[in-house]
Amino acid sequence: MFSFINNHHHFIFTVLPDFLHNKWTLMAINLCIFALLIKVANLLIDKFIDKIAQYKNDYEFKKQLVTLKSIAKSIVDTVIIMFAAIYILNVLGVDIRPILTAAGVLGVAVGFGAKRFFEDIISGASLLLEGQVRVGDYIEISGHEGVVEKIDIRLIQIRDLQGRVHYIRNGMVDIVVNYTRDYSYYVFELGVSYDADINYVMQALKEADEEFRTNSSAKEYVIAPLEILGVDKFDDSAVIVKARIKTKPIKQWEVGRAFNKAIKEKFDAKGIEIPFPQTTIHIVKEEKSL
């Protein structure tokens, strides 16, 4: 490594004009070269991963490739930046060999601090290999949930519904709830009046589902027919029917909103009441005694 840097340094001084022999100018040029290397390396990774993605038209496979791309870029950028740092120290006349030796001696002292760093790297590698989290997944970690925007060797970056970005260390990931692995479900509870015929209500739901999967703009995201789980509970003013729709990953909320509209229209057409809490007040008039 040291001979490569020294040879590179000598080559630059030989071929460049005299006015560029200043070490600060040379350092600036080489920093631009390192920055260009990062740009080119990331571009090559993009092209290579995108080429692989063309051979298999599978959404889950493509999410895995996007995650792999993010990890690969993180590793390559880190390695190039390390070489750049070594080069800068060498140009400044700093012999890094004693520094590396001292780092070995101080390794025990800084081991506790470095422990977190290595935990993050090992946990990140495990998440990648097992496919627990991919870029584009909607997940929940440690009470934070959102869409995964980026994964690198240290952090998972997720953005929630309000646009807030959460940065979570890989080493802190214990339990991951993935809402979009392979497929999703939109689960809903529907309240109907106690006076309603439950069988009639369920038939209306089935009709709404058939029409929805035929005519709705969201029909392409539905994987299977509506699954009516049955009467789930009895509330104060309604009988609760529970059901769910199987959808493509991360499309459950879009499908759910569209299907809620379809249910309302179908129930209005069928005369089925969706009740709301009501309070009946009885006024008792007292007669005055003479």
Side-chain angles (χ1 to χ4, degrees), residues 29-281:
I29 292 172
N30 280 276
L31 287 178
C32 290
I33 292 174
F34 280 116
L36 182 62
L37 281 175
I38 291 176
K39 187 74 175 177
V40 170
N42 288 341
L43 183 62
L44 291 175
I45 291 172
D46 284 336
K47 286 183 174 294
F48 179 71
I49 298 296
D50 292 343
K51 192 72 174 177
I52 295 176
Q54 295 176 1
Y55 291 100
K56 190 174 181 180
N57 188 23
D58 180 79
Y59 181 72
E60 296 298 318
F61 177 70
K62 288 183 177 179
K63 285 202 296 186
Q64 187 75 9
L65 288 180
V66 172
T67 304
L68 179 61
K69 183 192 297 184
S70 178
I71 295 288
K73 285 183 178 180
S74 177
I75 293 173
V76 169
D77 292 354
T78 301
V79 171
I80 295 176
I81 290 171
M82 288 176 60
F83 272 100
I86 293 172
Y87 168 75
I88 291 171
L89 291 174
N90 188 67
V91 171
L92 293 174
V94 178
D95 189 356
I96 66 170
R97 283 170 287 192
I99 296 176
L100 294 176
T101 303
V105 174
L106 296 174
V108 176
V110 300
F112 182 77
K115 179 182 177 183
R116 292 178 57 179
F117 177 75
F118 288 111
E119 282 180 351
D120 293 341
I121 293 178
I122 293 171
S123 298
S126 175
L127 289 171
L128 176 64
L129 293 174
E130 295 176 6
Q132 297 178 24
V133 178
R134 287 81 50 87
V135 173
D137 282 344
Y138 190 96
I139 65 171
E140 180 181 348
I141 300 177
S142 303
H144 305 287
E145 61 180 70
V147 178
V148 179
E149 290 190 331
K150 182 181 178 182
I151 303 175
D152 60 28
I153 58 175
R154 293 193 58 249
L155 297 169
I156 296 176
Q157 176 181 319
I158 64 175
R159 187 180 295 273
D160 64 21
L161 191 60
Q162 299 180 45
R164 299 175 300 183
V165 179
H166 304 265
Y167 300 92
I168 303 171
R169 288 179 39 235
N170 293 334
M172 294 181 63
V173 176
D174 184 15
I175 299 175
V176 180
V177 180
N178 193 326
Y179 292 86
T180 54
R181 182 60 188 264
D182 299 326
Y183 57 85
S184 301
Y185 274 111
Y186 176 71
V187 181
F188 64 93
E189 295 180 346
L190 180 65
V192 295
S193 170
Y194 273 91
D195 295 332
D197 183 337
I198 291 297
N199 293 325
Y200 184 65
V201 169
M202 291 184 177
Q203 182 59 37
L205 282 174
K206 291 178 181 178
E207 291 177 11
D209 172 58
E210 290 175 2
E211 294 172 6
F212 182 79
R213 287 185 288 111
T214 303
N215 304 318
S216 172
S217 59
K219 63 183 180 181
E220 61 181 301
Y221 303 133
V222 180
I223 295 177
L226 176 70
E227 184 180 354
I228 301 175
L229 304 177
V231 176
D232 192 59
K233 57 186 175 181
F234 299 98
D235 273 357
D236 292 338
S237 58
V239 178
I240 306 301
V241 178
K242 197 167 190 175
R244 65 181 185 178
I245 308 174
K246 191 174 183 179
T247 72
K248 292 183 178 179
I250 213 170
K251 295 299 182 181
Q252 64 267 44
W253 297 290
E254 182 176 346
V255 170
R257 287 189 289 269
F259 191 62
N260 285 339
K261 179 175 179 292
I263 291 175
K264 180 65 168 62
E265 292 173 350
K266 175 59 69 174
F267 277 26
D268 287 346
K270 293 269 189 184
I272 300 174
E273 178 186 357
I274 300 177
F276 55 89
Q278 303 178 56
T279 302
T280 303
I281 300 176

Side-chain angles (χ1 to χ4, degrees), residues 17-32:
D18 292 339
F19 74 91
L20 292 178
H21 282 192
N22 180 280
K23 69 177 181 180
W24 300 111
T25 305
L26 182 64
M27 184 183 299
I29 292 172
N30 280 276
L31 287 178
C32 290

